[in-house]
Amino acid sequence: MSRLSADILRTDPRVREARRLLAGAVGDVQARITGIRAPDPALSVQASEAVQRWGELRGAPLALPYLGSGVGRGPFVELADGSVKYDMIGGIGVHFLGHGHPLVLQAGLDAALEDMAMQGNLQQTSLALSFAEELLGLANARGAGLDHVFFTTSGAMANENALKLAFHRHRPADRILAFEGGFAGRTLALAWVTDRPAYREGLPPTVAVDYVPFFEPTDPRGSTDRARAALRAHLDRYPGRHAAMVFELVQGERGGFPGDGEFFRVLMAELRDSGVAVMVDEVQTFGRTLAPFAFQHYGLDDLVDLVTVGKMTLVCATLFREAYRPPTGLLSQTFTGATASFRVGLAVLRVLRESDLFGPDGGNARVHLRLAERFEQMECRMPGGIRGPYGIGAMVAFTPFDGSATAARAVVRRLFEAGVVAFTAGHAPCRVRFLVPTPVVSYADLDAVADRVEAVIAQGPPGEGEVPP
Ligand SMILES: Cc1ncc(COP(=O)(O)O)c(C=O)c1O
């Protein structure tokens, strides 16, 4: 039987031995990472200069003084200043398997043995096919009719591609519907879908967007009625002009605002009746709610036309129904993703499929519950210090002090110094959020993180000048 050279290479005893040695070397340095560690004074100055210098070169200071050393273990990450911190944000939701996971090392070594660092639309290996089958398998597990998937390199580009498919199918429609407070990315078109005027200051209008109010948990009935009425008014004002409505089912960048199944169903049904595509942006929600896709969590499988994923999948993707199949030339880019991204992303998809992450008693729910218990205790002990938690599953947020940007930024800074990497989200209120690497955290880790939050809040609201403007 003929064998591919690639298979001969992968099973070469020297390669096997090299893998064993590399795994051993990585394991040895990981064994040094046993918990949070303060910066090493011998490294701090150089690391701080590197952070300053990089901020200067990129033309904007880094949001956190974070430069990784390249080594980590589970929820722990070692930084260039020698400190070790709990990483509760994972580069805003990218590293769901934490740091230095054995599957990531294996995937990286597999990728290193291949002839191409990048996969693209013209030249690719069968990794693209495996990834497509795995992702579509997860997406259609409960009956959604998503037939196709197109890969790209960012969540924003996956959304751009979805919008193109919607505009093309519903041509000559020229408008989009989106939720108030939603986030969809930062391209010239998405700067208008994203409802944050500050993020499009000085940018020309590219796409006309009509906004619909989001779900309000304190008034489910009223907020559903208001959203439906707003949607109807937009559809009536511009008949036949809307190509799609963008659904961010849990508003992550706004600070962890979950929606509601019935609320979404009412709007999606209205859109379907009006011939407008239902596009669900799962760039942040994918893998983090109580089902692999948030549209499954909310039971909307029968209503979705276009779905986008990114972040933890590493390879970003637009999934779509047959009716949205593109003509030649509408979608294409040089790159679909790095070979290592395909391999690591595949490992993530398998973890999602095989681990106990979902359902009311799954890992994501347990993470949320554990932190919720701790935050509720803190709220009782320190009223006015903390409110929350908000979000769902592995998306966890809290409002510190008065909910001002200054308060949230100060708490993020203090947490960083105390050994926990978190980030801000939203405005009015501005929150602190975690995107928890569920597969690699224990209750002990969550408790240790909560202890740091408590200590930081106990310091009281930020003083004058604590956070730079
Ligand atoms: C809901 C949502 N959509 C799209 C994006 C954009 O993804 P990317 O930053 O990979 O372009 C993000 C990023 O935070 C997001 O949260």
Side-chain angles (χ1 to χ4, degrees), residues 86-254:
Y86 268 116
D87 183 5
M88 287 295 115
I89 192 67
I92 316 195
V94 179
H95 314 299
F96 194 57
L97 301 183
H99 293 267
H101 195 288
L103 290 175
V104 174
L105 173 65
Q106 288 311 320
L109 294 177
D110 285 338
L113 288 173
E114 294 189 21
D115 65 324
M116 303 183 301
M118 294 298 283
Q119 306 273 319
N121 280 304
L122 185 64
Q123 293 197 339
Q124 51 209 314
T125 63
S126 57
L127 277 173
L129 174 61
S130 304
F131 205 106
E133 285 176 337
E134 193 77 31
L135 192 57
L136 287 171
L138 272 178
N140 291 317
R142 302 180 191 191
L146 296 161
D147 305 290
H148 306 285
V149 58
F150 192 86
F151 296 125
T152 186
T153 45
S154 72
M157 205 56 223
N159 281 344
E160 286 273 335
N161 286 339
L163 291 181
K164 276 185 169 183
L165 293 177
F167 277 124
H168 185 267
R169 160 136 173 83
H170 296 296
R171 58 192 182 281
D174 59 349
R175 304 183 78 84
I176 291 292
L177 291 144
F179 281 118
E180 289 175 4
F183 185 89
R186 296 175 197 259
T187 61
L188 276 175
L190 295 169
W192 296 90
V193 178
T194 292
D195 186 25
R196 277 291 286 276
Y199 292 172
R200 54 173 174 259
E201 232 177 79
L203 302 184
T206 47
V207 172
V209 182
D210 298 308
Y211 302 97
V212 173
F214 195 66
F215 181 68
E216 180 47 66
T218 55
D219 183 14
R221 188 58 157 305
S223 59
T224 306
D225 291 346
R226 283 191 294 279
R228 186 193 202 157
L231 174 61
R232 199 59 260 164
H234 293 313
L235 293 170
D236 290 344
R237 182 168 298 121
Y238 301 107
R241 299 268 302 276
H242 294 101
M245 175 152 177
V246 181
F247 285 78
E248 190 191 2
L249 301 176
V250 182
Q251 293 189 319
E253 295 303 300
R254 186 178 158 216

Side-chain angles (χ1 to χ4, degrees), residues 3-14:
R3 283 185 81 196
L4 287 173
S5 312
D7 295 331
I8 295 170
L9 176 60
R10 272 184 216 115
T11 53
D12 186 307
R14 288 167 299 182

Side-chain angles (χ1 to χ4, degrees), residues 223-404:
S223 59
T224 306
D225 291 346
R226 283 191 294 279
R228 186 193 202 157
L231 174 61
R232 199 59 260 164
H234 293 313
L235 293 170
D236 290 344
R237 182 168 298 121
Y238 301 107
R241 299 268 302 276
H242 294 101
M245 175 152 177
V246 181
F247 285 78
E248 190 191 2
L249 301 176
V250 182
Q251 293 189 319
E253 295 303 300
R254 186 178 158 216
F257 288 76
D260 170 81
E262 189 48 32
F263 171 84
F264 292 131
R265 179 160 282 279
V266 163
L267 300 182
M268 289 180 180
E270 192 85 36
L271 292 161
R272 180 153 282 192
D273 291 347
S274 305
V276 177
V278 169
M279 171 183 157
V280 181
D281 175 347
E282 299 241 18
V283 170
Q284 192 159 148
T285 49
F286 178 74
R288 281 181 243 277
T289 66
L290 308 198
F293 287 82
F295 74 75
Q296 296 168 328
H297 172 94
Y298 289 116
L300 305 165
D301 304 65
D302 53 322
L303 289 164
V304 297
D305 296 310
L306 302 143
V307 178
T308 55
V309 297
K311 292 194 183 280
M312 78 161 71
T313 55
L314 274 68
V315 179
C316 303
T318 309
L319 294 80
F320 52 98
R321 286 181 186 273
E322 177 65 22
Y324 290 83
R325 199 192 261 263
T328 307
L330 188 72
L331 307 187
S332 191
Q333 291 127 222
T334 304
F335 297 133
T336 48
T339 303
S341 301
F342 269 93
R343 289 198 173 274
V344 175
L346 263 172
V348 171
L349 295 182
R350 286 182 189 143
V351 167
L352 295 191
R353 183 156 50 75
E354 289 164 13
S355 311
D356 167 33
L357 290 169
F358 304 113
D361 303 316
N364 284 344
R366 292 198 300 269
V367 158
H368 205 91
L369 197 65
R370 186 68 166 211
L371 287 172
E373 281 166 8
R374 292 294 308 270
F375 285 134
E376 277 154 21
Q377 290 161 7
M378 283 181 225
E379 195 169 342
C380 285
R381 278 201 289 273
M382 301 182 287
I386 185 166
R387 265 165 295 137
Y390 304 99
I392 194 167
M395 302 169 80
V396 181
F398 62 89
T399 307
F401 304 114
D402 60 357
S404 63

